[in-house]
């Protein structure tokens, strides 16, 4: 099997006129500018630390930096739009002004914040809510940027209680289909799907999702795997987020073998190495 078949996506995204090829998987580095994110909360809240971390991730191989200004960990505090806007605009602005070639993604479920982020230099929207903001799809269409559509139920405050599915994989596909159709009807062509590891899923459901990630190829969109230091990994290993790097690398390898086109991670070098190694495999020989 050739490398192009190992990796599922041969899609090209249009990032404000800049073509971005996902034929070979890429790494999206996580940069949370919040005080309370589950792993890196409070580490990057000042301009200097934000810029230094962005530079570090790019040197280690990140193709995109995903900036989050609202913590989505289970039970996180719901902050006002004004506070999220302030954090997001500052982070995007300082990186874009100093490192204008870096591709920036805005991790937000609020259309108002998405618009502000793109105005400051972001060229992609990562929406964990899948368009719960009624204005988000229209905003993305007007902004003409790629949209990362994630599966989630409820909110970060309620999602842990919403894990009942008739058929996990089918229910998630059924969630995506009408949303993708709506985005297409608005003229949004560049869509990435994220099955939402850790969002309204039990430990067992997350592993089922990982094992069957290739199922979502039916949607004919690039697939993002956001596994980095997630609780289903560290709980299984009997550790904590700090001790979950090895588990994350193992899970990322499985995701790549099952068709992931983007790895969203805190640890860029390890994910980049993972892609380089998996790219050397001949999967047909292994399966035989």
């Amino acid at each position: 099997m050739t490398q192009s078949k190992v990796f599922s996506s041969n899609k090209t995204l249009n990032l404000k006129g800049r073509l971005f090829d996902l034929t070979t998987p890429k790494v999206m580095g996580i940069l949370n500018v919040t005080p309370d994110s589950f792993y890196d909360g409070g580490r990057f809240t000042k301009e200097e630390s934000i810029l230094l971390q962005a530079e570090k991730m790019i040197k280690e191989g990140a193709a995109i930096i995903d900036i989050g200004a609202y913590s989505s960990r289970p039970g996180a505090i719901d902050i006002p739009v004004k506070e999220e806007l302030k954090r997001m605009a500052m982070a995007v602005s300082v990186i874009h002004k100093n490192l204008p070639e870096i591709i920036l993604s805005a991790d937000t479920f609020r259309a108002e914040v998405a618009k502000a982020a793109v105005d400051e230099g972001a060229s992609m929207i990562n929406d964990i809510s899948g368009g719960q903001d009624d204005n988000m799809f229209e905003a993305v269409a007007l902004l003409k940027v790629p949209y990362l559509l994630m599966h989630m139920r409820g909110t970060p405050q309620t999602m842990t209680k919403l894990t009942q599915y008739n058929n996990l994989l089918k229910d998630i596909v059924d969630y995506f289909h009408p949303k993708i159709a709506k985005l297409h009807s608005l003229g949004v062509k560049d869509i990435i799907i994220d099955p939402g590891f850790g969002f309204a899923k039990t430990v067992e459901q997350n592993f089922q999702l990982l094992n069957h990630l290739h199922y979502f190829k039916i949607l004919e969109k690039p697939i993002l795997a956001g596994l980095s230091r997630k609780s289903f990994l560290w709980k299984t290993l009997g550790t904590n987020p700090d001790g979950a790097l090895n588990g994350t690398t193992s899970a990322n390898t499985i995701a790549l073998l099952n068709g992931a086109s983007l790895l969203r991670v805190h640890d860029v070098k390890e994910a980049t190495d993972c892609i380089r190694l998996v790219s050397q495999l001949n999967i047909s020989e292994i399966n035989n």
Side-chain angles (χ1 to χ4, degrees):
M1 183 174 286
T2 63
Q3 180 175 327
S4 63
K5 292 182 180 178
V6 172
F7 297 134
S8 67
S9 172
N10 58 357
K11 305 294 182 181
T12 300
L13 306 179
N14 184 343
L15 299 169
K16 294 182 175 178
R18 180 177 180 180
L19 295 181
F20 185 73
D21 187 13
L22 281 170
T23 303
T24 299
K26 302 293 191 298
V27 173
M28 171 184 276
I30 300 169
L31 181 50
N32 288 317
V33 296
T34 59
D36 56 343
S37 290
F38 81 92
Y39 175 64
D40 55 358
R43 299 186 190 185
F44 312 111
T45 58
K46 304 295 183 183
E47 289 190 3
E48 182 179 2
S49 60
I50 290 169
L51 191 56
L52 287 172
Q53 181 65 2
E55 291 174 335
K56 177 177 182 289
M57 287 194 290
I58 293 301
K59 288 178 181 177
E60 291 180 346
I64 305 169
I65 293 178
D66 191 40
I67 300 172
Y70 180 108
S71 175
S72 58
R73 64 176 174 78
I77 297 172
D78 182 27
I79 64 169
V81 175
K82 184 177 180 180
E83 180 61 26
E84 186 185 359
L85 268 171
K86 180 181 176 182
R87 296 175 185 173
M88 180 67 75
M90 181 271 287
V92 174
S93 176
V94 69
I95 297 174
H96 185 64
K97 286 178 180 177
N98 288 277
L99 304 165
E101 295 303 310
I102 292 181
I103 297 171
L104 299 177
S105 167
D107 178 1
T108 183
F109 59 88
R110 290 164 166 164
E112 185 178 349
V113 177
K115 292 175 183 176
V118 172
D119 286 344
E120 292 290 347
S123 51
M124 180 184 294
I125 301 302
N126 177 13
D127 179 6
I128 64 165
S129 78
Q132 287 185 19
D133 184 330
D134 292 337
N135 298 315
M136 180 61 87
F137 287 3
E138 287 78 5
V140 172
L142 289 171
L143 293 168
K144 299 185 184 304
V145 295
Y147 180 63
L148 228 165
L149 174 67
M150 195 188 86
H151 174 270
M152 176 178 162
R153 285 176 164 181
T155 67
Q157 293 75 38
T158 64
M159 62 185 178
T160 57
K161 299 177 181 178
L162 302 172
T163 59
Q164 298 298 316
Y165 297 87
N166 293 321
N167 181 311
L168 179 67
L169 302 177
K170 183 179 182 299
D171 288 356
I172 294 175
V173 166
D174 288 346
Y175 166 97
F176 280 129
H177 268 308
K179 293 177 183 291
I180 291 172
K182 176 66 180 298
L183 287 161
H184 283 171
S185 73
L186 293 169
V188 180
K189 298 178 180 178
D190 293 332
I191 303 166
I192 301 167
I193 63 161
D194 176 355
F197 289 98
F199 289 82
K201 284 102 181 168
T202 64
V203 169
E204 293 77 14
Q205 288 166 346
N206 280 300
F207 280 109
Q208 182 184 355
L209 206 57
L210 180 59
N211 192 35
H212 296 279
L213 193 63
H214 58 277
Y215 182 85
F216 299 101
K217 292 180 184 180
I218 193 173
L219 296 168
E220 299 183 338
K221 301 295 180 188
I223 300 169
L224 178 141
L227 297 155
S228 188
R229 300 180 183 270
K230 289 286 176 77
S231 64
F232 81 98
L233 297 175
W234 58 258
K235 286 179 179 177
T236 300
L237 296 173
T239 181
N240 54 39
D242 287 333
L245 177 56
N246 193 45
T248 297
T249 301
S250 299
N252 280 336
T253 302
I254 297 168
L256 290 170
L257 295 175
N258 280 331
S261 295
L262 267 176
L263 299 178
R264 183 177 180 274
V265 299
H266 298 92
D267 309 282
V268 171
K269 181 184 183 301
E270 289 79 2
T272 302
D273 288 348
C274 193
I275 290 172
R276 290 176 63 190
L277 293 173
V278 172
S279 72
Q280 301 303 310
L281 298 179
N282 187 320
I283 303 303
S284 62
E285 289 182 1
I286 293 173
N287 289 338
N288 291 332

